[in-house]
């Protein structure tokens, strides 16, 4: 069996609206960076990847996009890529949820997605 790990920082900039206990609350400081960690596994011809991100939740659209892009970059079948979130309420709004704020598309497109793909490529390498 072969295994590889990739990890990247996904901390949003200060002022980002958080999916926290009070909708509309901006990030005022950073105690610990948010991270995405990818573990790539291979046994013979079977490959898989486990991804964990320090966010509250992934939207279905983000999961589909990341699986597709990671498959394109690594060859790991999209169905063999598992994404999970640590469910922090001190992270940006990464999925539209009624009563918890609007999806932060800029964060998802400029930080979460590219850093996840970068960590996945590192894990695969």
């Amino acid at each position: 069996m072969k295994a590889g790990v990739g990890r990247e920082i996904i901390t949003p900039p200060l002022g980002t609206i958080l999916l926290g206990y009070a909708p509309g609350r901006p990030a005022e400081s950073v105690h610990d960076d948010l991270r995405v960690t990818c573990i790539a596994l291979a046994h013979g011809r079977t490959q898989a990847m486990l991804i964990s991100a320090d966010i509250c939740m992934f939207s279905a659209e983000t999961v589909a996009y990341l699986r597709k892009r990671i498959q394109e970059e690594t060859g790991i079948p999209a169905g063999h890529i598992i994404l999970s979130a640590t469910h922090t309420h001190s992270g940006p709004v990464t999925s539209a949820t009624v009563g918890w704020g609007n999806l932060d598309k800029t964060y998802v497109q400029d930080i979460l997605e590219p850093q996840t793909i970068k960590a996945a490529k590192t894990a695969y390498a």
Side-chain angles (χ1 to χ4, degrees):
M1 177 174 273
K2 295 180 183 178
V5 177
R7 177 178 261 183
E8 294 295 332
I9 293 173
I10 57 170
T11 304
L14 295 180
T16 297
I17 300 301
L18 303 177
L19 182 67
Y21 302 100
R25 183 181 70 177
E28 297 174 355
S29 65
V30 175
H31 185 274
D32 297 306
D33 279 317
L34 301 181
R35 298 181 187 273
V36 61
T37 303
C38 301
I39 299 174
L41 303 167
H43 181 67
R45 292 180 179 224
T46 303
Q47 298 177 324
M49 184 168 289
L50 307 173
I51 300 171
S52 176
D54 293 330
I55 58 174
C56 190
M57 64 187 84
F58 282 100
S59 70
E61 295 79 15
T62 299
V63 169
Y65 174 80
L66 287 171
R67 283 181 171 156
K68 178 178 180 260
R69 290 286 292 120
I70 292 167
Q71 178 178 315
E72 291 170 355
E73 294 288 339
T74 67
I76 296 173
H80 293 197
I81 300 169
I82 298 172
L83 291 102
S84 67
T86 62
H87 199 80
T88 180
H89 281 270
S90 293
V93 182
T94 53
S95 183
T97 305
V98 176
W100 290 102
N102 298 318
L103 173 67
D104 188 338
K105 291 180 184 178
T106 301
Y107 172 80
V108 171
Q109 293 172 351
D110 294 351
I111 297 175
L112 180 61
E113 291 173 345
Q115 291 297 85
T116 301
I117 293 166
K118 183 178 178 184
K121 288 169 62 176
T122 299
Y124 180 77

